[in-house]
Amino acid sequence: MTFISEILLALFLLAALRLAGASRLKHCIAVTACQGTVTALYPLFVHNWAEFSHDTNMQMILLALLTLGVKGFLLPALLVRAMHTAQVKRELEPLVSYPVSILLVVLFACGAFTLCVKYPVAPAGTSVLAAPSALIAIFTGLFIIVARKKAITQSIGFLFFENGITLFGACMKLEYGFLVEFGILLDVFVLVFVMGIAVFHISREFEHIDADRLHLLGDTMEPAKQGETAK
Amino acid sequence: MIQLLLVFIPIFSAVAVWRIKNRQNRMRMLLALTSLMHLVLSAVMTFRSEWNADFSWLQHWLYADELGKCFLFLTSLLFCMVAIHTVFWIKAEQDAQETREHPEGLLKLHIFVSGLLAFEGMMTLVILSVDFGLLWVAVEATTLVSAPLILFHRSARSLEAMWKYLLICSVGIGLALFGTMLLAAAMPPGEGDLRFTHVTGVRHLLKPVWFKASFIFILAGYGTKMGLAPFHTWLPDAHSESPGTVSALLSGALLNCSLLGIIRFYEAAPDEMKSFCANLMVALGILSLVFAAFFTVRQLDFKRLLAYSSVEHMGLLSILWSIPSIRDAAAIHMYAHSLIKMALFLTAGNLLLACGTRRTDLLGGLSGKLQRNSILFFAGVLMICGVPPSPIFATELRLIMALPPIAGAAVLILLLIIFAAMTHTVLHLICGPDKKVLPDESLSIQAEKLVWIPGVMLVLALALGMIQLHSIL
């Protein structure tokens, strides 16, 4: 079990590096699907089955299946659909280039491991890879949100960030109870769903989905000149 | 049981709206009736405590303590007022679209009404939840159901505002989830229960380092949703691009719900860490005042002006709640801000309906054709700036006196700058010479009919102010 959980965590780490270097949206979505699958399966391999009641164990399995369905399949499918409707295939000119992005993720990894060695957060018996992997995913997700232009890539970044937080909860062996965990999953699903709809509307209204070109709003409005009328 | 009704009645109504989506009158009626029912139930919950504690299993999830009751009644009252205003305003807005040169198109009514009702349900869930995990779920849900409401005027600008709102708030709330997990890490071994009462009960056993880290993330996360600087960037865009009724709800009710999240964490802080948390809240509060003072000066959009005023008041509330000796002033400030700001946003919506623009450099002399709205708007701006007998005068005075002299002086100067900037802009808007855009004749008549609800809210705030003044004199 420990061996499998370590493999899953290694996959989680590699996903961060792959996302930082991927320009094709199809690959970014595939990486997120892979990461979502790991997020769903990891708790099953670190759960102490003998310690909990049958009902709790069944809830655990049900939640893992739901997470797998939503994060492994449904959300990636929604993102693929949004990609097709917006007719965008790749992130051509990211704000931070791909080699620099990979380098930064490596630096995040160094920082996360140093932090977790200094302040061990995970309970005894948890893999040493767990907490740093989660932190790296959180940093990488936030980084992708600010370093990429396309609205759809930002959605992918958010999903990555959220998966990192979920893994952090799993490595801490936090158990909120079925209702709250289901609520969190539902919120994430609806959020990505609404983001997908928003991407569609943005592509239709602006004829692009570059978030950095969404600058109609702001406080730097020019005062009206003579003869100018309202919008 | 009443807790369940408070959460689920608006949600059932939101679903029911889709069944009657072709009947506009019924939808409007359902909105008003649901909000009235919610207000009655909230009043019962607030004033009859035995109704609050009927099922023990329910209290594990939903319960209104004294703080919760304070927020619940306010939210329900404000929503009811806005719902009644919306019933009449929406008809006027639909008529206005037909008379405009370049109509933007409106969101379908059933989506709008359904979103409003679901928004009320989720805000109630935030207030009644007794668990930090459930609180997070509910706060995130308020973002999701309110995002489509910003898109009421289907323009490129509102789409941009919605995207920024969705992304920035979701990332912020994500940080709050991380903070909640760090709180769980701060709990003593074997104590995984994150109910408020439980965490408060074992707060002396919380691990200090993890609790500090948790509070920083919570303040950044819920602070983003609350509009505390420097995390407030979504707020002016979303408030200015939403219709008046939605801005009123976002500013008057939603920001308070996020504030409640921060207060819940602050209350769970161990005694030796209260000062750390309070210092952070004061620092962000003063920073919010600085940002608000900077951006209200020469602001050319009257709804953005109100939005920055919300940033200012969220900053003030953050400082007020962090000082235990003036907690009652914090609650009164929150009530006063919500009532006055809601009246201001509804009036701003009326002005926008008649004029078709929010730009203050294109508008002037509104008191001619929009006399009632102009009086309300000016009175509201004076009250929100703390001119007596506004209740805000008394609360700001108590705040300045409670702060150390230098911090108190800094707050006073910032408040004076905001007062000067807001009154200057609004005086030009109302009493200045006529400018390029004149209000439409027929729409002005409609806008003048929509002053009753904002008027009632200002009268309520005024009454609160008189009571306050009476108590300090």
Side-chain angles (χ1 to χ4, degrees), chain A residues 18-32:
Chain A
R18 181 70 186 103
L19 183 70
S23 68
R24 285 185 178 275
L25 293 180
K26 200 169 68 176
H27 294 169
C28 293
I29 295 170
V31 168
T32 315

Side-chain angles (χ1 to χ4, degrees), chain B residues 36 54 87 104 119 128 130 163 174 184 189 201 252 255 277 283 298 308 310 320 356 400 410 453:
Chain B
L36 274 171
D54 44 6
V87 168
E104 290 163 330
F119 190 31
L128 293 180
V130 298
W163 177 256
L255 302 186
C277 301
R298 296 184 68 79
Y308 280 111
S310 293
L320 279 160
I400 290 165
I453 294 292

Side-chain angles (χ1 to χ4, degrees), chain A residues 121 142 151 154 158 165 172 174 176 187 191 198 201 206 214-217 219 222-225 228 230-231, chain B residues 104 137 140 144 156 159-160 163 167 170-171 174 181 184-185 194 210 241 299 304 308 357 359 361-362 436:
Chain A
V121 61
L142 287 174
Q154 292 184 333
F158 176 79
I165 294 174
M172 302 276 295
L174 299 181
Y176 285 127
D187 272 350
L191 176 64
H201 283 286
F206 294 90
L214 297 178
H215 45 54
L216 291 172
L217 306 175
D219 294 292
E222 284 293 318
K225 296 184 182 102
E228 190 181 337
K231 91 173 161 67
Chain B
E104 290 163 330
V137 171
E140 174 66 9
L144 301 175
L159 191 58
E160 182 181 330
W163 177 256
L167 194 70
S170 297
V171 171
M181 287 179 175
L194 285 183
W210 293 116
E241 294 306 320
Q299 180 56 250
R304 284 185 89 86
Y308 280 111
T357 181
R359 290 187 60 164
D361 54 336
L362 295 174
K436 295 172 191 74

Side-chain angles (χ1 to χ4, degrees), chain B residues 58-314:
Chain B
L58 197 57
Q59 288 177 34
H60 287 287
W61 298 105
L62 303 171
Y63 182 76
D65 55 7
E66 290 307 313
L67 188 65
K69 283 176 190 171
C70 170
F71 279 77
L72 178 67
F73 185 68
L74 176 64
T75 306
S76 194
L77 174 72
L78 297 175
F79 190 87
C80 183
M81 293 288 201
V82 168
I84 294 168
H85 182 87
T86 305
V87 168
F88 300 102
W89 162 81
I90 221 152
K91 185 82 180 67
E93 188 65 44
Q94 286 168 335
D95 293 345
Q97 286 297 309
E98 288 164 15
T99 61
R100 294 220 199 284
E101 251 179 76
H102 305 291
E104 290 163 330
L106 302 177
L107 193 68
K108 285 180 180 137
L109 187 62
H110 66 279
I111 300 177
F112 184 69
V113 174
S114 175
L116 278 178
L117 288 164
F119 190 31
E120 184 177 34
M122 289 305 111
M123 284 193 292
T124 311
L125 185 60
V126 172
I127 294 166
L128 293 180
S129 58
V130 298
D131 180 282
F132 284 110
L134 189 60
L135 175 80
W136 183 88
V137 171
V139 174
E140 174 66 9
T142 58
T143 313
L144 301 175
V145 293
S146 57
L149 301 177
I150 297 172
L151 206 56
F152 181 74
H153 294 114
R154 300 181 63 162
S155 64
R157 295 169 67 89
S158 52
L159 191 58
E160 182 181 330
M162 185 192 99
W163 177 256
K164 287 180 178 171
Y165 172 65
L166 206 57
L167 194 70
I168 297 172
C169 282
S170 297
V171 171
I173 302 288
L175 293 177
L177 179 62
F178 189 56
T180 309
M181 287 179 175
L182 288 174
L183 174 71
M187 294 286 279
E191 301 278 358
D193 190 345
L194 285 183
R195 273 178 292 156
F196 306 148
T197 45
H198 184 78
V199 177
T200 312
V202 297
R203 63 185 176 156
H204 57 286
L205 299 172
L206 293 175
K207 295 171 200 157
V209 176
W210 293 116
F211 185 84
K212 279 184 184 174
S214 161
F215 191 78
I216 289 169
F217 279 99
I218 287 296
L219 196 58
Y222 289 137
T224 304
K225 192 74 190 279
M226 183 183 155
L228 280 180
F231 316 110
H232 68 286
T233 47
W234 66 272
L235 191 145
D237 294 344
H239 280 54
S240 60
E241 294 306 320
S242 312
T245 48
V246 175
S247 313
L249 279 177
L250 290 178
S251 185
L254 179 68
L255 302 186
N256 292 345
C257 290
S258 311
L259 169 67
L260 180 64
I262 294 175
I263 298 170
R264 296 283 191 204
F265 270 82
Y266 178 71
E267 289 194 337
D271 292 335
E272 66 273 18
M273 258 174 282
K274 289 271 191 213
S275 63
F276 169 80
C277 301
N279 288 342
L280 278 181
M281 287 169 77
V282 171
L284 287 192
I286 291 179
L287 193 62
S288 302
L289 286 173
V290 173
F291 270 80
F294 187 78
F295 284 106
T296 46
V297 176
R298 296 184 68 79
Q299 180 56 250
L300 294 175
D301 180 326
F302 63 76
K303 283 189 80 185
R304 284 185 89 86
L305 189 75
L306 298 181
Y308 280 111
S309 165
S310 293
V311 174
E312 171 210 353
H313 284 277
M314 286 304 116

